[in-house]
Each structure stands twice: as C-alpha cells, then as structure tokens.
Amino acid sequence: MYAPRIAAAIALSTVFMAAGCSHPLARAAADTTVTLEFGGLQRQYLVHYPANRPPGPLPAVLVFHGGGGSAQNTASAFGFDKLSDANGFIAVYPEGYEKSWNDGRGDDTNASAANIDDVGFIAAVIDRVIADDSVDPSRVYATGMSNGGMFTEDLGCRLSDKLAAIAPVAGPLPEADVSACAPTHSLPVLEIHGTSDPIVPYDGGVVRITSGHHGAGSSPVLSVDATQQLWREKNACDAVSTTQLPQRTDDGTSVTVRSSECANGAKVQLYSIANGGHTWPDGPQYLPQALVGKVSHQFDASEVIWQFLSQFRKQPG
C-alpha cells in the first residue's frame, strides 16, 4: 500500500531539498568542503564554522542525511548552522555513498549492499576535524534522520570511543546491529520518533522504502521501545519517568518524554510524538501528509538535540 506512494515521495524529496538551498538557513559560501580518501574512495564532508568563533577547542556535531539526501541539503534544511553560530560548535555534514549509509541492513541501502566501511570513514572524519579544526575530542556528537538516524544508532554501538552522545531521529537500531552493539562507555542517547511514521515503523519491522530495493526493505529494525530498552540496559539506567510536553500549538500531535538516569551521569531519553510522521519536528512539511505524515510543531528538534548533546562529555572508555 505504502511503497508506490513513498517511492514517489523519495523522488519528490529532491524537489524539497533543492528548494532548501534557498532556505534562510542555507550554508555560508565561506564554509568548507573537505575531501578525504578512505577505503579506495574519494569521500567528502562539509564543515560549518561558527560565526565569531570562540577561542579554544570546540564541540562538533556530526549530522547525517537520510537515504536519498545529501550533506548540502541537510545543512540547508535542519538549522544546525544557525545553532552553531549561536552556541559555538562546529557542524559537520558527511556525505554518504550513493546518498546512503551502511547502517547494517544489508541490501536495504546502497552503502550496505556495497559493504562500504562507513564506521571507518566517520572515525577518520572525527580524527581529521580534531586535528585540523581544533575540535574537543571529548565533545563529539552525532545525530541524523531516517537512514542517517539508524546509522547514528550503529555508530553509538560501534564507535562510542569517539562519541560523547547520540541523537537519532526516525531511526531505531537495525536488528542486524544488536549482536555487535558494545559501547565502550556509558553513552547518552536521545531518540525522537513519530508514532504514525509511515516509512520507518515505530513498532519495528522492515523499512517501507529503501535506497537499496527502492521498495519495502527486508532487514527489520527494532521497535522504538525495544531500542530504548537496549540503550537502558547498556547504560545501566534507573526506572523510566514520563512527562508530557505542554501543547505549544494545535497541530494534531502531542509529545510524551520518557527519561532514564543512567550510570556515570548518562541519560536515555525518548521524545515520542503521537500522530507524528517521518518528519523533523518544527521543520517544514516537505511533502504532503499522505506521503510522510505530520510535522509536529510542539518542539524544535534541532534545539532539543543540541540542548541534550551539549550536557555530556565523553568519558574515558
């Protein structure tokens, strides 16, 4: 039922992303595109330096595009450049292989099907920005949406020695990644997911459109609840407390926040958006609700992500 409509959405999303280049948050011309040879490929990432850069080593937030997206479009659409300028961190936008990331789902993404070593690539990117851009190695964070969110989860499992905290959006942990999920330290995790996401199901199962198949996937993801439980177990967390965000606007969505305090000062948190779709909260309704579901305007996802991530420094592994 969903596959033909969502396939059309993926094709149409390039229209939204092209329009995003004229968005008021579009990247400054002075920002840098870096080419890095890795795994026999010429890989790239974009770097946004904060305006009026403060002295000393700065935090860095790595932001991963979804399947079919790009680094440039993500920089234009999600608002992290503006947050970088206001808060003094470096925003880094890596470019996926054939517009995708190897998040462990096999043929479900182009990068996974080609067995691209994206974890190794991101490790090299982090090393480079620490060396070249005076990034504080204890304050490197990762976030992303959809395929980028699932990849962020996998990085939390496999690259925690270089990350202080992660914040995946619309991207639970792929089931294939569970057995190798071995963070080296207590890793704070913030997840954001809409209960009515028509592409990446909140209750788990196969993703309903993928870059690899251009149709329904074959490698399932955990449910949001199971992903949260996995991170609570990895982080030795206490009981879950639940609060409701106050209604900011009448948009048909509401937000429940579930939080657990964990060992060594870590935290596992979920923003569960009732009736929310495959969208970035407080972002644009980039395609009709019939295709991607509703955008919630109850909170600004980028602001909440930065506020969460910036609390934490990487502990010795």
Side-chain angles (χ1 to χ4, degrees):
M1 172 181 176
Y2 281 105
R5 291 194 297 166
I6 297 171
I10 297 300
L12 285 170
S13 67
T14 58
V15 175
F16 155 68
M17 289 303 188
C21 293
S22 63
H23 192 279
L25 299 178
R27 303 178 65 253
D31 290 350
T32 303
T33 300
V34 180
T35 298
L36 177 66
E37 184 172 350
F38 185 82
L41 300 171
Q42 296 295 313
R43 303 296 298 269
Q44 290 188 326
Y45 60 94
L46 309 180
V47 183
H48 175 82
Y49 304 101
N52 304 312
R53 176 173 177 162
L58 300 185
V61 178
L62 280 69
V63 187
F64 297 101
H65 63 74
S70 72
Q72 175 73 63
N73 297 334
T74 300
S76 298
F78 288 170
F80 281 99
D81 286 7
K82 182 180 178 182
L83 283 171
S84 162
D85 293 342
N87 296 281
F89 66 85
I90 291 173
V92 182
Y93 305 93
E95 190 78 63
Y97 173 82
E98 295 187 357
K99 300 184 181 296
S100 69
W101 298 104
N102 183 352
D103 61 15
R105 287 182 295 133
D107 290 344
D108 282 10
T109 79
N110 294 331
S112 297
N115 199 31
I116 299 297
D117 181 10
D118 275 331
V119 173
F121 168 52
I122 297 308
V125 169
I126 293 171
D127 289 345
R128 176 71 69 87
V129 297
I130 289 170
D132 292 357
D133 299 310
S134 190
V135 163
D136 181 347
S138 73
R139 293 187 291 167
V140 178
Y141 311 104
T143 186
M145 180 176 171
S146 195
N147 177 207
M150 290 176 249
F151 181 53
T152 297
E153 300 263 16
D154 192 32
L155 289 174
C157 290
R158 301 172 60 199
L159 200 65
S160 62
D161 59 320
K162 294 184 182 294
L163 296 171
I166 62 172
V169 179
L173 184 68
E175 285 188 10
D177 296 332
V178 171
S179 61
C181 190
T184 60
H185 61 90
S186 297
L187 184 73
V189 178
L190 165 66
E191 290 192 82
I192 299 172
H193 207 123
T195 63
S196 298
D197 187 328
I199 297 176
V200 180
Y202 189 93
D203 291 330
V206 297
V207 176
R208 292 174 180 143
I209 187 69
T210 67
S211 64
H213 288 284
H214 303 287
S218 59
S219 181
V221 298
L222 296 178
S223 69
V224 173
D225 289 346
T227 302
Q228 283 278 294
Q229 181 61 28
L230 177 143
W231 287 118
R232 286 195 296 267
E233 290 173 358
K234 299 291 183 186
N235 285 309
C237 299
D238 293 337
V240 178
S241 64
T242 301
T243 59
Q244 199 78 14
L245 282 192
Q247 288 292 112
R248 196 166 81 172
T249 184
D250 184 12
D251 63 4
T253 70
S254 60
V255 181
T256 302
V257 181
R258 299 186 177 96
S259 300
S260 297
E261 301 297 325
C262 312
N264 301 310
K267 181 181 290 187
V268 172
Q269 193 168 68
L270 169 66
Y271 277 55
S272 177
I273 308 162
N275 298 319
H278 194 70
T279 50
W280 190 269
D282 224 28
Q285 183 70 55
Y286 62 97
L287 287 168
Q289 289 184 20
L291 296 175
V292 296
K294 289 183 178 181
V295 177
S296 175
H297 294 285
Q298 305 300 337
F299 68 101
D300 181 322
S302 301
E303 287 272 10
V304 164
I305 286 168
W306 169 246
Q307 289 167 8
F308 179 87
L309 296 176
S310 62
Q311 301 173 69
F312 304 105
R313 288 178 177 263
K314 184 176 71 69
Q315 305 163 21

